[in-house]
Amino acid sequence: MDNFQKEIDERTNLTASNKFELLLFRLGADPHGERSELFGINVFKIREIVPMPPVTKAAGTQSPMLGMVNIRGQIISVIDLPAVVGCVPKTGLNILLVTEYARSTQAFAVESVDEIVRLEWSQVLSAETSSGGAFVTSIARLDQDKDTSRLAQVLDVEQILHEIMPSDRNMKMENLEKSAGHGMRPGAVAIAADDSKVARSLIEQGLRAMEIPFEMHVTGKDAWDKIQKLAKEARAEGKPIADKISFVLTDLEMPEMDGFTLTRNIKREDFLKNIPVIIHSSLSGSANEDHVKSVGGDAYVAKFEANELAATIFGVLDKAAAKA
């Protein structure tokens, strides 16, 4: 129990300093067979790392699905990660990364695991294109020296799961409650930020169904720059920030500036601190919810269930309106 608490404390300190830990692994040679590139995934997503166990392949299973494994009584789907990004493992699929992500558990087969590195989010840059294609959300500079730094491609797990194991349960948004009557001021917009393409698409669909005007951003820094711009306009016009921004909806993991830092930036400025901030993340769990409270976030909701997101947004808006 002491070790568990120590781990929680260490991760709390990381989020407080805009840092995170990235697990580095290899998937084999690139499509041209020339080199083995580094890939990464946030340690927060990893439940455990195990040697590749026997995989049961059900009838009709097609690549990149490998089949199912039984890990301590839990049946988990296994995804061939090299096949997803177009790599060819030279020594086979030797390691299984068991992840808990977006309300689900799944395992990714990889060739090898290198190390865990501790980085600042400023070392992670947005990547719309790379050799990993649509499944790479950002590029991590592993060293501070920009000229000599090793690079790792950070995978967009949300996009991978959406493509491989699609579900329509999150797409049924036509019956969502509308924003009228929840204290939103005419002309105010929601500021949303998420670096995952599929997450942005789902959020946009949800906000439109709720009839909430919004502006979408790919990084926390982009969102922060927009918030500062709107704050400057509000001050110049002698208006409260609520006339410009209805609320902020932000992911936690984002290049350049993470959601914790974005939230802290908002809450430490007197002019901005009353903007409701909702953390919308696939990194579920009580530890993350505690982190959200520690930086002043108004609510936390795990990705992605449209009705739960709507209820959280309207609950926060109603509470803010009652205080006004």
Side-chain angles (χ1 to χ4, degrees):
M1 183 61 72
D2 289 342
N3 289 336
F4 177 77
Q5 186 59 49
K6 181 180 179 182
E7 181 179 344
I8 294 297
D9 292 342
E10 287 177 352
R11 289 185 173 178
T12 301
N13 292 335
L14 283 178
T15 58
S17 58
N18 198 30
K19 295 182 179 181
F20 74 112
E21 290 179 329
L22 190 69
L23 174 69
L24 301 178
F25 54 89
R26 296 185 186 271
L27 303 178
D30 65 20
H32 304 290
E34 296 176 354
R35 67 180 185 274
S36 178
E37 298 181 348
L38 275 174
F39 291 85
I41 186 172
N42 193 329
V43 171
F44 264 120
K45 295 187 180 81
I46 304 296
R47 192 183 81 181
E48 58 186 313
I49 302 172
V50 297
M52 191 69 183
V55 177
T56 301
K57 186 173 182 177
T61 300
Q62 296 181 344
S63 179
M65 296 301 299
L66 289 177
M68 312 291 286
V69 293
N70 186 333
I71 298 182
R72 285 181 293 282
Q74 183 179 11
I75 305 301
I76 301 173
S77 297
V78 179
I79 298 168
D80 181 346
L81 202 48
V84 170
V85 301
C87 289
V88 179
K90 294 181 178 180
T91 64
L93 298 172
N94 306 307
I95 302 293
L96 208 58
L97 309 180
V98 182
T99 65
E100 292 182 341
Y101 195 81
R103 304 171 185 255
S104 65
T105 301
Q106 53 281 314
F108 295 100
V110 304
E111 182 177 42
S112 63
V113 169
D114 274 35
E115 60 180 318
I116 293 175
V117 294
R118 185 168 293 185
L119 304 175
E120 296 182 4
W121 278 108
S122 59
Q123 292 175 249
V124 183
L125 308 176
S126 181
E128 292 298 323
T129 60
S130 72
S131 63
F135 299 119
V136 171
T137 187
S138 53
I139 302 295
R141 261 195 346 262
L142 302 182
D143 309 301
Q144 291 287 356
D145 189 329
K146 295 182 180 180
D147 295 325
T148 62
S149 178
R150 295 178 300 150
L151 301 176
Q153 301 180 77
V154 182
L155 292 177
D156 186 345
V157 180
E158 287 174 84
Q159 185 70 40
I160 293 172
L161 295 180
H162 178 72
E163 293 283 343
I164 296 173
M165 297 187 292
S167 171
D168 64 356
R169 66 184 178 87
N170 297 326
M171 305 294 288
K172 298 175 182 177
M173 304 181 189
E174 62 273 10
N175 296 322
L176 290 180
E177 185 179 356
K178 311 306 180 186
S179 62
H182 287 286
M184 291 188 61
R185 302 189 184 189
V189 299
I191 301 296
D194 201 300
D195 66 328
S196 169
K197 291 179 182 179
V198 67
R200 290 198 301 273
S201 176
L202 290 169
I203 291 167
E204 288 171 356
Q205 291 177 58
L207 292 177
R208 288 192 186 102
M210 289 179 254
E211 299 181 351
I212 295 175
F214 66 91
E215 293 193 13
M216 179 63 73
H217 301 275
V218 177
T219 74
K221 184 178 183 301
D222 291 342
W224 176 236
D225 289 345
K226 183 62 177 182
I227 290 167
Q228 289 181 301
K229 181 177 182 293
L230 292 175
K232 184 177 180 180
E233 292 176 3
R235 289 189 179 100
E237 297 168 12
K239 296 179 178 179
I241 192 62
D243 281 4
K244 298 287 185 178
I245 301 173
S246 54
F247 63 92
V248 172
L249 179 68
T250 179
D251 188 20
L252 287 181
E253 300 178 281
M254 291 181 291
E256 302 180 52
M257 180 186 292
D258 70 338
F260 289 124
T261 303
L262 175 60
T263 304
R264 277 195 300 269
N265 287 349
I266 294 168
K267 295 301 182 179
R268 71 187 177 191
E269 289 200 16
D270 286 340
F271 190 69
L272 303 176
K273 65 183 181 182
N274 290 327
I275 298 175
V277 178
I278 301 167
I279 302 291
H280 185 225
S281 175
S282 55
L283 299 178
S284 58
S286 58
N288 283 313
E289 294 182 40
D290 289 342
H291 297 343
V292 169
K293 293 177 183 177
S294 72
V295 298
D298 296 273
Y300 179 98
V301 58
K303 292 179 180 175
F304 183 89
E305 205 288 316
N307 286 293
E308 187 173 331
L309 176 60
T312 301
I313 289 174
F314 293 141
V316 167
L317 288 175
D318 291 345
K319 187 175 180 180
K323 289 182 178 179

